[in-house]
Amino acid sequence: MAKLTAALTVLALVACVGRPCQAGYGYPNPMPSPSPPPPTPPPYTPTTPSPPPSAPITPSSPPPYTPTTPSPPPPAPVTPSTPTPYSPSTASPPPPTPIAPSSPPPPPPTPSSPASGLAVGYYQKTCYRAEDIVREAVRDASKGIMAGLIRLFFHDCFVRGCDASVLLDTADPNSATEKFGIPNLSLRGFEVIDAAKARIEKECGNVVSCADIVAFAGRDATYFLSNKKVYFDMPAGRYDGLVSLINETLPNLPPPFATVEQLKAGFAFKGLNTDEMVTLSGAHTIGISHCSSFSDRLTSNSSDMDPSLKSTLQEQCQSNSGTDNTVVQDNKTPDKLDNKYYKNVLSHEVLFTSDAALMMATDTSDAVRANAKDTNLWEEKFKAAMVKMGAIDIKTVANGEIRRSCRILNTN
């Protein structure tokens, strides 16, 4: 009888462990109770860009843009730093309370042998006007769409790497694509990518990937939104991915209600350190947001949002028809890429829980203050972080293709 009882107990425990837990993204509801963390994935190992195919040219600061100006000359290839191991978490965000500084992360692992195949000036021989064509398409877009292009680059790279999988309308007959995932329903800028791709195909044929066009567009949107102040060379040579799955969006894209520890872990999993996470968060100085992404902060007594901003947002978000209204993310300089975001974090004038969470840890709050104090420092770090993010999980000829249309696979 004792053996039978023990056996039944074991079976009950196995059944309990086997139940899955799916966390919601929180539009508009916050995440439910945390599920057990998944097994720790292997440390991210970025690859070192290979040198450009042509003889290197001494880089110089780009002149003010005109459509006939060729793409800027290449600098020395960027070698991304190596991240700390990721330990994901899906815990619901508690009311903001300061936490003690965490212990220093373990030393990063030694990078393995290179080769993403990325290089500055990658298309100089095969389509020398490729970057110019993309820049012209971005230049003609509205500032709102430019902000959307930076976000599009981020959302592409954080799900399956920078492979243009977010652009696909269809891929797997058994699954919708990333484009239709909840975090991506408000993405903008697809028409700019399509226009640039069509012109490149007409001028050069099928040689420039959609993934590289997305990366160039994110870089060029940064340039125009900063009043042509923030410019950097974007290495290229990415191939377009062959897989795009809707169910991979929620686990990979940090939600607007993320805690600081969730943000650190999520970015570390992609090979980006804490300072780079804070640096890239500065992109919230431009663009718009749906009210559902921060509605909990408008009604919660625990929210530390500035009372005047909260009152303004309550009026802007009110809708008798149930419409999910949109508001600007930075009410001071909404169409300018600058360091105002960090000043807004310090004054509690930010929308998202994830924005306010940057003040909940010593290392992130120190980075916020440094970026708020020195705009040139933040701009330089933003350039480097955009390039490093652009090297996440690069596809090659072995596991990718150069799409003829960015919205469908060549096999379709």
Side-chain angles (χ1 to χ4, degrees):
M1 184 64 181
K3 292 183 178 178
L4 177 59
T5 303
L8 291 173
T9 302
V10 170
L11 287 173
L13 289 172
V14 170
C16 180
V17 171
R19 295 191 188 103
C21 178
Q22 176 64 45
Y25 192 69
Y27 285 92
N29 301 314
M31 276 200 307
S33 301
S35 60
T40 303
Y44 169 76
T45 304
T47 55
T48 305
S50 61
S54 58
I57 304 171
T58 303
S60 60
S61 300
Y65 170 71
T66 58
T68 57
T69 303
S71 302
V78 179
T79 303
S81 59
T82 311
T84 54
Y86 167 56
S87 297
S89 167
T90 56
S92 302
T97 53
I99 64 174
S102 56
S103 57
T110 303
S112 60
S113 57
S116 64
L118 298 185
V120 172
Y122 185 86
Y123 295 108
Q124 282 296 314
K125 292 184 177 180
T126 56
C127 187
Y128 76 95
R129 269 188 34 83
E131 295 189 47
D132 287 337
I133 291 171
V134 175
R135 192 173 302 114
E136 289 163 10
V138 174
R139 179 201 60 197
D140 295 338
S142 69
K143 290 184 176 179
I145 295 298
M146 289 182 190
L149 289 167
I150 296 176
R151 184 169 178 243
L152 185 66
F153 181 41
F154 172 82
H155 279 229
D156 182 39
C157 291
F158 262 56
V159 183
R160 288 193 166 266
C162 309
D163 65 351
S165 53
V166 73
L167 304 181
L168 288 170
D169 289 334
T170 181
D172 185 333
N174 299 313
S175 172
T177 60
E178 292 170 29
K179 182 183 286 189
F180 303 101
I182 290 174
N184 291 338
L185 292 177
S186 58
L187 287 179
R188 298 183 294 168
F190 295 105
E191 69 280 4
V192 175
I193 305 301
D194 290 339
K197 177 64 171 175
R199 286 185 57 192
I200 288 172
E201 287 285 314
K202 182 177 181 180
E203 191 164 315
C204 303
N206 187 221
V207 295
V208 179
S209 70
C210 299
D212 281 340
I213 293 174
V214 171
F216 292 149
R219 182 268 309 274
D220 295 331
T222 300
Y223 173 65
F224 288 116
L225 288 171
S226 65
N227 197 26
K228 302 182 180 180
K229 184 181 179 184
V230 182
Y231 185 86
F232 52 95
D233 289 306
M234 177 61 75
R238 302 165 186 82
Y239 276 70
D240 299 323
L242 304 174
V243 179
S244 183
L245 302 171
I246 189 173
N247 63 5
E248 293 184 344
T249 55
L250 288 173
N252 285 285
L253 292 166
F257 48 80
T259 66
V260 68
E261 294 304 325
Q262 288 174 323
L263 290 171
K264 289 181 181 182
F267 276 72
F269 189 38
K270 305 302 177 182
L272 298 165
N273 62 36
T274 294
D275 189 64
E276 289 160 341
M277 177 270 288
V278 177
T279 297
L280 289 169
S281 295
H284 285 177
T285 191
I286 50 172
I288 60 176
S289 170
H290 284 277
C291 292
S292 60
S293 297
F294 57 88
S295 57
D296 58 314
R297 282 171 50 80
L298 300 182
T299 57
S300 172
N301 292 329
S302 62
S303 168
D304 66 349
M305 184 182 290
D306 174 77
S308 177
L309 176 62
K310 180 185 288 189
S311 176
T312 298
L313 291 173
Q314 286 172 338
E315 292 182 10
Q316 293 176 339
C317 290
Q318 186 175 3
S319 172
N320 295 327
S321 62
T323 302
D324 190 4
N325 295 343
T326 59
V327 298
V328 295
Q329 294 197 95
D330 177 358
N331 64 353
K332 303 293 178 61
T333 56
D335 293 325
K336 183 179 180 183
L337 187 77
D338 55 21
N339 69 334
K340 178 63 72 174
Y341 165 80
Y342 300 101
K343 298 175 183 179
N344 293 344
V345 173
L346 292 173
S347 61
H348 306 286
E349 296 178 278
V350 286
L351 301 185
F352 305 141
T353 296
S354 58
D355 293 328
L358 297 182
M359 297 304 294
M360 297 295 109
T362 300
D363 51 356
T364 54
S365 62
D366 286 348
V368 168
R369 291 187 181 92
N371 292 336
K373 183 178 180 180
D374 190 339
T375 186
N376 292 325
L377 170 69
W378 172 71
E379 288 170 358
E380 291 304 312
K381 292 197 297 182
F382 190 78
K383 296 175 190 179
M386 286 281 279
V387 171
K388 185 175 177 181
M389 182 176 73
I392 296 174
D393 195 15
I394 298 303
K395 303 304 184 293
T396 67
V397 66
N399 59 353
E401 65 181 9
I402 306 296
R403 288 184 213 142
R404 290 184 291 273
S405 168
C406 293
R407 292 176 180 262
I408 58 174
L409 300 174
N410 290 345
T411 53
N412 288 349

